[in-house]
Amino acid sequence: MRRILVTMLVLMCALAPGLCQEEELAALEAAAAESSAAPVEILCPAKEHGAVGDGETYDTVAIQAVIDECALHPEGGVVTFEEDSRYLSAQIIVKNGVRLRIPKTTTLLAGLKREDYPKNYEDWYFIVLSKCNACGIEGEGRVDGQGSLWASGGTAEQKIVKNWDDASCIMQKECRPHLIGIKESTLATLDGVELYDAVHWAVHIVHSETVAVNNCNIWGDQLIPNSGGIVIDGSRRVYLGGNIISTADNAITVKTTSASHGVEYLLVDGGILQSRSSAIQIGHESRAAFSSLVFQNISIEQSHRGIAVSLRDQGSMEGLQFTNITIESLFYERIWLGGAEPIHVTAMPRAVNVEIGTITDVRFQRVTCTSEAGMVVAGSMDSTIEGLVLEDVAIELVQQTDFAGGFLDYRPGMRGIVDDVQTSAIFIEFANHVNLSNVEVVWGKPPRPEWGQALEITPRTVHATSVTNLFVHDESAHPHGKEDHVGSTRSSMMAWVRKIEGNLRSSHKAFLGLEANAAAGVSGRRAASSASVIVIVLLGVVFMVFVVSGVVGHFDMRSKRHARAPDEPHFDKIAQA
Ligand SMILES: *[C@@H]1O[C@H](CO)[C@@H](O)[C@H](O)[C@H]1NC(C)=O
Ligand SMILES: *[C@@H]1O[C@H](CO)[C@@H](O)[C@H](O)[C@H]1NC(C)=O
Ligand SMILES: *[C@@H]1O[C@H](CO)[C@@H](O)[C@H](O)[C@H]1NC(C)=O
């Protein structure tokens, strides 16, 4: 297992340079070479300690005994289970050097009784790797939380879930056990297993270092509140590779609940995520720093919010990178947090008089979104977002549900939901150094009534913005596209964008047929000395460059488009439309 882990980490460092320092990489490679000479693994069959695996008899004592014995081997060992079996158990504690290997046709069933779990809520996990070194769970078998047995009735929006009445619970509405806990551990791995029907979070990685969750399938009931996927709290060097996660609560959550434990070096590479909340949620609880977080090659499907970055406390966030991601976001019932935004980056205090940190350097590159609502980038009076890049980003707005839209959702936090607003494809307020480059907005058919502007920048709160090659295509002739009305909170700049959208009726083909040189010839290199707007209309086709504080626009859209990799279906689809 050490070899698997080390290989993953070497991959992690290679994939995302900057994620690992050179000396760390060298140490990992040395460890990899050493571990490839490891002796034959020691197997510890659960059957030999009397585990029956009939799905009814508690096998807790037998399973724990085999783990404890296996841990006595200096090189550790692998606890094996019979095929075609169902092992019911109370809490299982994995010890140093031990891995549980669950065969494909076998299930470990989480006990449902209060006495199956320890005294305190913070220790409630079905399987826990606590202060554990080089331990894990592998195989293609299933760990089943039996969440459905906790739920009874409810509505079509959300099920009613039973909670234990226990004084140790922080919140009575979440007084239920998690499925798997990785606490204060190092070199821990979950590899290939199926984590099924958790009644709370499926995986909780807390205050740990060097952890890999690889090729796991995580499935949770879409109507059970708080049944989330992977939650990473205050941990360092975590790799999530190729996981497929579908849950009601966030698929992946990254947070810092303790001021003394930040999150650093996280790589999420590949995988498919779906959630009735956010597919990816960074922050919300943000008491310590987040730095060097890389998400790439991910497909987000049917989520209420795609990627959420929410700073609410004193911890700061720096160096967040999202590359090669497709996002599909749509409305669900309001009881679930989100508002169909593909991207939602916000920095605002949790409550009055709460100290707040800063968000610096967030990049979205090669991100393709299909969504019912627009992107929201909102700092606040207390915290301006510094350095945000949208490069090769496409957003196509498409009606998918009948839920009412037309609100700005600042949740989580005290600002809540602002109703009765038009939805802009891209909304920005309180931000500095924002770079939009090769950004494409498509208003699809049929339109939603609340759809408004392509790009809305709240006046006087956004500085040093560079918009280069923003393409707007209106297939729907949506109701507000033509209006000239500019609301009191709208910048006069936006009046231009509106007008342009309203006028834009040419086919997309003509749009693309525009000669790059022609445009370049007109604009050339141009640096404005003060805030100004340059709008160039050619052949009924529009290029826009906003120059706020002397930024240069480049018109090389054609060459960029042709340089794109063929595996970006959405860009191609738009191009052929
Ligand atoms: C982009 O991500 C997809 C998976 O979503 C992957 O198949 C593809 O290879 C990635 N492309 C690049 C250039 O990494
Ligand atoms: C993910 O993307 C990176 C670069 O963006 C690429 O090198 C890598 O091969 C991709 N991985 C997969 C699994 O597609
Ligand atoms: C933003 O764009 C400007 C001009 O195109 C460039 O000078 C600057 O380095 C860019 N910033 C980032 C963070 O990419």
Side-chain angles (χ1 to χ4, degrees):
M1 182 235 15
R2 205 182 164 86
R3 190 175 59 238
I4 297 171
L5 188 68
V6 166
T7 312
M8 275 178 209
L9 285 165
V10 170
L11 172 79
M12 169 173 174
C13 298
L15 276 173
L19 200 65
C20 300
Q21 277 125 30
E22 292 225 346
E23 61 271 26
E24 286 181 325
L25 188 56
L28 287 169
E29 275 164 351
E34 191 187 305
S35 69
S36 50
V40 192
E41 61 186 13
I42 290 159
L43 299 180
C44 311
K47 193 181 180 182
E48 288 179 10
H49 282 261
V52 290
D54 62 4
E56 284 169 17
T57 316
Y58 269 88
D59 282 322
T60 320
V61 175
I63 294 172
Q64 198 57 58
V66 71
I67 291 172
D68 294 353
E69 193 191 88
C70 213
L72 297 175
H73 297 289
E75 310 84 34
V78 179
V79 170
T80 59
F81 298 89
E82 296 300 297
E83 289 184 6
D84 302 311
S85 304
R86 289 160 65 77
Y87 296 87
L88 174 66
S89 179
Q91 185 178 64
I92 295 168
I93 303 171
V94 181
K95 301 283 175 67
N96 276 347
V98 173
R99 283 169 290 147
L100 308 185
R101 184 176 295 162
I102 313 169
K104 191 168 183 167
T105 51
T106 290
T107 299
L108 301 193
L109 282 171
L112 298 166
K113 299 201 287 255
R114 174 66 190 86
E115 61 266 31
D116 294 342
Y117 296 82
K119 191 159 173 282
N120 289 316
Y121 167 76
E122 60 176 35
D123 301 318
W124 291 358
Y125 301 96
F126 171 43
I127 303 179
V128 62
L129 287 58
S130 176
K131 295 194 172 73
C132 195
N133 181 52
C135 45
I137 307 173
E138 62 190 39
E140 289 170 71
R142 176 181 283 192
V143 179
D144 187 343
Q146 308 206 72
S148 58
L149 299 180
W150 290 73
S152 58
T155 64
E157 295 185 359
Q158 199 172 70
K159 289 183 180 168
I160 292 171
V161 181
K162 185 181 140 190
N163 283 291
W164 285 329
D165 183 12
D166 195 284
S168 73
C169 286
I170 303 156
M171 278 183 283
Q172 187 49 42
K173 67 179 178 60
E174 293 184 30
C175 203
R176 286 167 266 150
H178 300 301
L179 194 59
I180 292 175
I182 299 178
K183 293 181 72 180
E184 298 171 56
S185 294
T186 51
L187 295 168
T189 55
L190 301 180
D191 191 12
V193 281
E194 187 176 82
L195 308 177
Y196 185 81
D197 204 10
V199 73
H200 206 169
W201 304 335
V203 182
H204 188 201
I205 301 169
V206 53
H207 302 175
S208 292
E209 171 150 349
T210 316
V211 175
V213 180
N214 198 39
N215 289 330
C216 290
N217 279 357
I218 301 179
W219 182 88
D221 190 313
Q222 283 288 308
L223 297 179
I224 293 187
N226 317 105
S227 66
I230 301 175
V231 178
I232 299 164
D233 184 359
S235 294
R236 193 171 176 270
R237 256 206 278 154
V238 178
Y239 169 82
L240 308 181
N243 299 294
I244 299 174
I245 306 176
S246 173
T247 49
D249 205 345
N250 308 325
I252 296 175
T253 306
V254 186
K255 60 183 182 175
T256 55
T257 54
S258 147
S260 54
H261 289 84
V263 172
E264 173 177 57
Y265 302 132
L266 166 68
L267 173 63
V268 182
D269 185 15
I272 303 171
L273 310 176
Q274 185 276 329
S275 171
R276 219 175 183 85
S277 306
S278 297
I280 296 170
Q281 168 77 65
I282 298 169
H284 172 17
E285 282 162 300
S286 41
R287 295 184 212 286
F290 301 71
S291 66
S292 303
L293 315 185
V294 177
F295 296 78
Q296 61 189 21
N297 312 336
I298 297 167
S299 172
I300 292 175
E301 297 178 358
Q302 303 199 3
S303 294
H304 203 179
R305 195 172 267 171
I307 298 170
V309 177
S310 320
L311 183 69
R312 296 290 179 273
D313 310 283
Q314 77 272 22
S316 284
M317 301 180 174
E318 182 165 11
L320 275 51
Q321 192 181 309
F322 303 89
T323 311
N324 185 28
I325 298 181
T326 58
I327 303 174
E328 182 191 11
S329 56
L330 70 176
F331 288 110
Y332 285 94
E333 300 81 6
R334 266 202 200 189
I335 195 170
W336 301 96
L337 203 147
E341 313 91 340
I343 290 174
H344 189 268
V345 181
T346 54
M348 49 200 59
R350 172 180 304 284
V352 280
N353 298 327
V354 166
E355 194 194 329
I356 177 145
T358 52
I359 297 182
T360 313
D361 187 13
V362 184
R363 290 157 192 270
F364 295 90
Q365 285 156 322
R366 292 198 284 125
V367 176
T368 305
C369 317
T370 309
S371 59
E372 288 195 283
M375 299 179 192
V376 174
V377 174
S380 59
M381 296 280 270
D382 306 88
S383 181
T384 297
I385 292 166
E386 175 63 44
L388 182 112
V389 174
L390 296 181
E391 189 181 4
D392 294 327
V393 170
I395 171 169
E396 181 174 11
L397 285 103
V398 184
Q399 161 134 35
Q400 301 194 52
T401 69
D402 295 327
F403 288 109
F407 57 91
L408 192 51
D409 188 351
Y410 289 112
R411 293 179 299 168
M414 62 175 179
R415 288 181 69 185
I417 294 177
V418 178
D419 274 307
D420 299 321
V421 294
Q422 275 182 14
T423 297
S424 303
I426 304 171
F427 171 80
I428 307 175
E429 64 181 354
F430 294 100
N432 233 339
H433 293 107
V434 177
N435 273 16
L436 272 61
S437 165
N438 291 335
V439 173
E440 185 157 6
V441 173
V442 178
W443 298 103
K445 271 195 279 198
R448 287 188 61 104
E450 71 274 10
W451 285 353
Q453 303 158 357
L455 173 63
E456 178 179 352
I457 297 180
T458 306
R460 292 183 298 279
T461 72
V462 180
H463 302 283
T465 302
S466 159
V467 182
T468 312
N469 296 349
L470 168 68
F471 307 100
V472 184
H473 181 51
D474 188 353
E475 291 176 348
S476 68
H478 69 277
H480 303 290
K482 260 192 263 190
E483 279 173 33
D484 243 337
H485 165 78
V486 178
S488 56
T489 60
R490 312 288 191 225
S491 113
S492 59
M493 237 185 232
M494 289 309 107
W496 281 100
V497 178
R498 277 239 183 123
K499 265 191 188 147
I500 291 156
E501 272 184 62
N503 292 337
L504 186 61
R505 292 291 174 269
S506 59
S507 80
H508 203 63
K509 224 170 185 173
F511 201 61
L512 295 171
L514 184 68
E515 280 300 327
N517 322 0
V522 175
S523 94
R525 277 176 71 85
R526 197 154 177 177
S529 53
S530 62
S532 63
V533 184
I534 305 168
V535 182
I536 303 149
V537 184
L538 290 171
L539 316 165
V541 166
V542 183
F543 272 87
M544 280 170 291
V545 184
F546 285 49
V547 186
V548 186
S549 86
V551 175
V552 179
H554 300 278
F555 293 92
D556 55 352
M557 165 246 191
R558 284 200 92 187
S559 53
K560 282 238 169 84
R561 181 169 288 278
H562 287 271
R564 281 187 187 121
D567 65 356
E568 294 160 46
H570 198 69
F571 273 101
D572 287 351
K573 195 179 102 205
I574 294 172
Q576 283 154 16

